[in-house]
Amino acid sequence: MEIVVLSEMDATQSNSERRPFSIKLWPPSQNTRIMLVERMTNNLSTPTLFTQKYGTLSKEEAEENAKQIEERAFTAANQHYEKEPDGDGSSAVQLYAKECSKLILEALKRGSTRKVDKEVPISEVVRETSFDISKGPRAFIEAEEAEELLRPLKEPGNSYTKVCFSNRSFGLGAARVAEPILASLKDQLKVVDLSDFIAGRPEAEALEVMNVFSAALEGSVLKSLDLSNNALGEKGVRAFGALLKSQKSLEELYLMNDGISEEAARAVCELVPSTEKLRVLHFHNNMTGDEGAIAISEVVKRSPLLEDFRCSSTRVGSEGGVALSEALKGCSHLKKLDLRDNMFGIEGGVALGDALSKHANLKEAYLSYLNLEDKGTIAIANAFKDSAPLLEVLELAGNDVTPAAAPALAACLAAKQHLLKLNLSENELKDEGTIQISKSLEGLAQLIELDMSTNAIRRAGARVLGHLVVKKPGFQLLNINGNFISDEGIDEVKEIFKKSPETLGPLDENDPEGGDDEKDSEEEDNGDETELESKLKNLDVEED
């Protein structure tokens, strides 16, 4: 039986369930956390059903317990939230409340025992599992400050399983202080975050610091390792070689913004031999190129349990795109794929379409700015039509898509009953393609965001989009900025959204006189757009 400690939060959560993803519920404000500590203090120190059964704590003991309980529950919930940051935070709030309730009861049970046994230290009531110095000011740290900062890690019998040293720049002296501490903890550590921990250091010192940390943690059995934002290059990857080679159970590996070139990618492939349990691989914002992508594709091939793969902004062209696509064929557990901002081109797009036809579990696909053009886009749309039934997010922005690809996109989208967010911005779909796609979205009751900005859309397309989304329960945002909608069309759209203006995005970049086709402008003025709308109104979506 749980003790209710979060009535205000619970009410917010219920509202969230009625209107999913309407607001971010996590993290709670500092005031909310303070209020919760006060409420738990009362639960522990005043007469209730539970204190009558187990006994009350003194006000002082209750407050100290409440603070530790809240901190432990917050840490657990925050770790949960970090693993799924695209959600609204409601599951983190639920975990936060559940942990608080559970720990209150445990503290009360211990409280009655502590009246007899005063030797039980308060530190044993709740124990921290996460040690994080990243919330402090971004700064260089040397040996003396490291001694003070890392002191909690030296306490006998501590329960830390996660350490985060991000946002502080370790000099060699500070690394030497950390070395024996980490070595003593490596049998209990599960999560290590060393992202952005050598910023501003000379290369020689930075490499030596990495070697020290690598040696200290060699042989640990980690589930998650984050080495992002360290400008590693090949030398940096090899500096962590001892640590990487020793990992046999790694489930998450983050190597973002690390300056990883072709040579560095080959080093990753060489030094991370055991990836059978890898579920998350993030490789964003590196200078990998085609040859580097071929090396990373070998890591992907060895990762059959991969669920979340990010290889965005890595300068990958057609050859590397084909290699990555081939590797992804074997990742049948894939749930999230982010390949944005590369140059796959048509050939890479066709190969990707072939790979994605095998994935039944995919929920999020971020495929914008891949230079797919119509042929590559059609290949991916055709693949998705018969796969990824649970797809919730699809992004295909900036791929030079024209109305020629609209029928394939429409057929694909009509089958995606779980779709929440669709981004087709920065293409050339115009009214013709927009209206075809709009019809396919009519039956998607869960859609909450639609981005059709910068698509050369005029009055007809804008009006159809407005009527489409305004009827959807829980819809949050329509973006049609950067188009060629007439002033009269803008007024019409605003009238459509008069009861929910907050769901219509800004229109400050719309150009009512835009476009190079003078005839189109004349047709709009003559009302011919209504004829276009009428012709396409009853268009059937092809599902052959």
CSV table of all heavy atoms in Angstrom, one decimal, residues 355-380:
chain,number,residue,atom,x,y,z
A,355,ALA,N,16.8,-1.7,-46.4
A,355,ALA,CA,17.1,-2.1,-45.0
A,355,ALA,C,15.9,-1.9,-44.1
A,355,ALA,O,15.6,-2.8,-43.3
A,355,ALA,CB,18.3,-1.3,-44.5
A,356,LEU,N,15.2,-0.8,-44.3
A,356,LEU,CA,14.1,-0.5,-43.4
A,356,LEU,C,12.8,-1.3,-43.6
A,356,LEU,O,11.9,-1.4,-42.8
A,356,LEU,CB,13.7,1.0,-43.5
A,356,LEU,CG,14.8,2.0,-43.1
A,356,LEU,CD1,14.3,3.4,-43.3
A,356,LEU,CD2,15.1,1.8,-41.6
A,357,SER,N,12.8,-2.0,-44.7
A,357,SER,CA,11.6,-2.9,-45.0
A,357,SER,C,11.7,-4.1,-44.0
A,357,SER,O,10.7,-4.9,-43.9
A,357,SER,CB,11.7,-3.4,-46.4
A,357,SER,OG,12.8,-4.2,-46.7
A,358,LYS,N,12.8,-4.3,-43.3
A,358,LYS,CA,12.9,-5.4,-42.4
A,358,LYS,C,12.6,-5.1,-40.9
A,358,LYS,O,12.7,-6.0,-40.1
A,358,LYS,CB,14.4,-6.0,-42.4
A,358,LYS,CG,15.0,-6.0,-43.8
A,358,LYS,CD,14.7,-7.3,-44.5
A,358,LYS,CE,15.4,-7.3,-45.8
A,358,LYS,NZ,14.9,-8.3,-46.8
A,359,HIS,N,12.2,-3.9,-40.6
A,359,HIS,CA,12.2,-3.4,-39.2
A,359,HIS,C,10.7,-3.3,-38.8
A,359,HIS,O,10.0,-2.3,-39.2
A,359,HIS,CB,12.9,-2.1,-39.0
A,359,HIS,CG,14.4,-2.3,-39.2
A,359,HIS,ND1,15.0,-2.4,-40.4
A,359,HIS,CD2,15.4,-2.4,-38.2
A,359,HIS,CE1,16.3,-2.6,-40.2
A,359,HIS,NE2,16.6,-2.6,-38.9
A,360,ALA,N,10.3,-4.1,-37.9
A,360,ALA,CA,8.9,-4.1,-37.3
A,360,ALA,C,8.8,-3.3,-36.1
A,360,ALA,O,7.7,-2.9,-35.6
A,360,ALA,CB,8.5,-5.5,-37.1
A,361,ASN,N,10.0,-3.0,-35.4
A,361,ASN,CA,9.9,-2.3,-34.1
A,361,ASN,C,10.2,-0.9,-34.1
A,361,ASN,O,10.2,-0.2,-33.1
A,361,ASN,CB,10.9,-3.0,-33.1
A,361,ASN,CG,10.5,-4.5,-32.9
A,361,ASN,OD1,9.4,-4.8,-32.5
A,361,ASN,ND2,11.5,-5.4,-33.2
A,362,LEU,N,10.6,-0.3,-35.3
A,362,LEU,CA,11.0,1.1,-35.4
A,362,LEU,C,9.9,2.0,-35.0
A,362,LEU,O,8.8,2.0,-35.4
A,362,LEU,CB,11.4,1.4,-36.8
A,362,LEU,CG,12.3,2.6,-37.0
A,362,LEU,CD1,13.6,2.5,-36.3
A,362,LEU,CD2,12.5,2.9,-38.5
A,363,LYS,N,10.2,3.0,-34.1
A,363,LYS,CA,9.3,4.0,-33.6
A,363,LYS,C,9.6,5.4,-34.0
A,363,LYS,O,8.8,6.2,-34.1
A,363,LYS,CB,9.1,3.9,-32.1
A,363,LYS,CG,8.4,2.7,-31.6
A,363,LYS,CD,8.1,2.8,-30.1
A,363,LYS,CE,7.3,1.6,-29.6
A,363,LYS,NZ,7.0,1.7,-28.1
A,364,GLU,N,10.9,5.7,-34.2
A,364,GLU,CA,11.4,7.0,-34.6
A,364,GLU,C,12.4,6.9,-35.7
A,364,GLU,O,13.4,6.2,-35.6
A,364,GLU,CB,12.0,7.7,-33.4
A,364,GLU,CG,11.0,7.9,-32.2
A,364,GLU,CD,11.7,8.5,-31.0
A,364,GLU,OE1,12.4,9.5,-31.2
A,364,GLU,OE2,11.5,8.0,-29.9
A,365,ALA,N,12.1,7.7,-36.8
A,365,ALA,CA,13.0,7.7,-37.9
A,365,ALA,C,13.3,9.1,-38.3
A,365,ALA,O,12.4,9.9,-38.8
A,365,ALA,CB,12.4,6.9,-39.1
A,366,TYR,N,14.6,9.6,-38.1
A,366,TYR,CA,15.0,10.9,-38.4
A,366,TYR,C,15.9,10.9,-39.7
A,366,TYR,O,17.1,10.5,-39.6
A,366,TYR,CB,15.8,11.5,-37.2
A,366,TYR,CG,14.9,11.6,-36.0
A,366,TYR,CD1,14.9,10.5,-35.1
A,366,TYR,CD2,14.1,12.6,-35.7
A,366,TYR,CE1,14.2,10.5,-33.9
A,366,TYR,CE2,13.3,12.7,-34.5
A,366,TYR,CZ,13.4,11.6,-33.7
A,366,TYR,OH,12.6,11.6,-32.5
A,367,LEU,N,15.3,11.2,-40.8
A,367,LEU,CA,16.0,11.0,-42.1
A,367,LEU,C,16.0,12.3,-42.9
A,367,LEU,O,16.0,12.3,-44.1
A,367,LEU,CB,15.3,9.9,-42.9
A,367,LEU,CG,15.1,8.6,-42.1
A,367,LEU,CD1,14.2,7.6,-43.0
A,367,LEU,CD2,16.4,7.9,-41.7
A,368,SER,N,16.1,13.4,-42.2
A,368,SER,CA,16.1,14.7,-42.9
A,368,SER,C,17.5,15.0,-43.4
A,368,SER,O,18.6,14.5,-42.9
A,368,SER,CB,15.7,15.8,-41.9
A,368,SER,OG,14.4,15.6,-41.5
A,369,TYR,N,17.6,15.9,-44.5
A,369,TYR,CA,18.8,16.4,-45.1
A,369,TYR,C,19.8,15.3,-45.5
A,369,TYR,O,20.9,15.3,-45.1
A,369,TYR,CB,19.5,17.4,-44.1
A,369,TYR,CG,18.5,18.4,-43.6
A,369,TYR,CD1,18.0,18.4,-42.3
A,369,TYR,CD2,18.1,19.4,-44.4
A,369,TYR,CE1,17.1,19.3,-41.8
A,369,TYR,CE2,17.1,20.4,-43.9
A,369,TYR,CZ,16.7,20.3,-42.7
A,369,TYR,OH,15.8,21.2,-42.2
A,370,LEU,N,19.2,14.3,-46.2
A,370,LEU,CA,20.1,13.2,-46.7
A,370,LEU,C,20.2,13.3,-48.2
A,370,LEU,O,20.8,12.3,-48.8
A,370,LEU,CB,19.4,11.8,-46.3
A,370,LEU,CG,19.5,11.5,-44.8
A,370,LEU,CD1,18.8,10.2,-44.5
A,370,LEU,CD2,20.9,11.4,-44.3
A,371,ASN,N,19.7,14.3,-48.9
A,371,ASN,CA,19.8,14.5,-50.3
A,371,ASN,C,19.1,13.3,-51.0
A,371,ASN,O,19.6,12.8,-52.1
A,371,ASN,CB,21.2,14.6,-50.7
A,371,ASN,CG,21.4,15.2,-52.1
A,371,ASN,OD1,20.6,16.0,-52.5
A,371,ASN,ND2,22.4,14.8,-52.8
A,372,LEU,N,18.0,12.8,-50.5
A,372,LEU,CA,17.3,11.6,-51.0
A,372,LEU,C,16.6,11.9,-52.4
A,372,LEU,O,16.6,11.0,-53.2
A,372,LEU,CB,16.3,11.2,-50.0
A,372,LEU,CG,16.8,10.7,-48.7
A,372,LEU,CD1,15.6,10.4,-47.8
A,372,LEU,CD2,17.7,9.5,-48.8
A,373,GLU,N,16.1,13.1,-52.6
A,373,GLU,CA,15.3,13.4,-53.8
A,373,GLU,C,14.1,12.5,-53.9
A,373,GLU,O,13.8,11.7,-53.0
A,373,GLU,CB,16.2,13.3,-55.1
A,373,GLU,CG,17.4,14.3,-55.0
A,373,GLU,CD,18.2,14.3,-56.3
A,373,GLU,OE1,17.6,14.1,-57.4
A,373,GLU,OE2,19.4,14.5,-56.2
A,374,ASP,N,13.4,12.6,-55.0
A,374,ASP,CA,12.1,11.8,-55.1
A,374,ASP,C,12.4,10.3,-55.0
A,374,ASP,O,11.7,9.5,-54.3
A,374,ASP,CB,11.4,12.2,-56.3
A,374,ASP,CG,10.7,13.5,-56.2
A,374,ASP,OD1,10.4,13.9,-55.1
A,374,ASP,OD2,10.4,14.1,-57.3
A,375,LYS,N,13.4,9.8,-55.8
A,375,LYS,CA,13.6,8.4,-55.9
A,375,LYS,C,13.9,7.8,-54.6
A,375,LYS,O,13.4,6.7,-54.2
A,375,LYS,CB,14.7,8.1,-56.9
A,375,LYS,CG,14.8,6.6,-57.3
A,375,LYS,CD,15.8,6.4,-58.4
A,375,LYS,CE,15.9,4.9,-58.8
A,375,LYS,NZ,16.8,4.7,-59.9
A,376,GLY,N,14.9,8.4,-53.8
A,376,GLY,CA,15.2,7.8,-52.5
A,376,GLY,C,14.1,7.9,-51.5
A,376,GLY,O,13.9,7.0,-50.7
A,377,THR,N,13.3,9.0,-51.6
A,377,THR,CA,12.2,9.2,-50.7
A,377,THR,C,11.1,8.1,-51.0
A,377,THR,O,10.5,7.6,-50.0
A,377,THR,CB,11.6,10.6,-50.8
A,377,THR,OG1,12.6,11.6,-50.5
A,377,THR,CG2,10.4,10.8,-49.9
A,378,ILE,N,10.9,7.9,-52.2
A,378,ILE,CA,9.9,6.9,-52.6
A,378,ILE,C,10.3,5.5,-52.1
A,378,ILE,O,9.5,4.7,-51.6
A,378,ILE,CB,9.6,6.9,-54.1
A,378,ILE,CG1,8.9,8.2,-54.5
A,378,ILE,CG2,8.8,5.7,-54.6
A,378,ILE,CD1,8.8,8.4,-56.0
A,379,ALA,N,11.6,5.2,-52.2
A,379,ALA,CA,12.1,3.9,-51.8
A,379,ALA,C,11.8,3.7,-50.3
A,379,ALA,O,11.4,2.6,-49.8
A,379,ALA,CB,13.6,3.8,-52.1
A,380,ILE,N,12.1,4.8,-49.5
A,380,ILE,CA,11.9,4.7,-48.1
A,380,ILE,C,10.4,4.6,-47.7
A,380,ILE,O,9.9,3.9,-46.9
A,380,ILE,CB,12.5,5.9,-47.4
A,380,ILE,CG1,14.1,5.7,-47.5
A,380,ILE,CG2,12.1,6.0,-46.0
A,380,ILE,CD1,14.8,6.9,-47.0
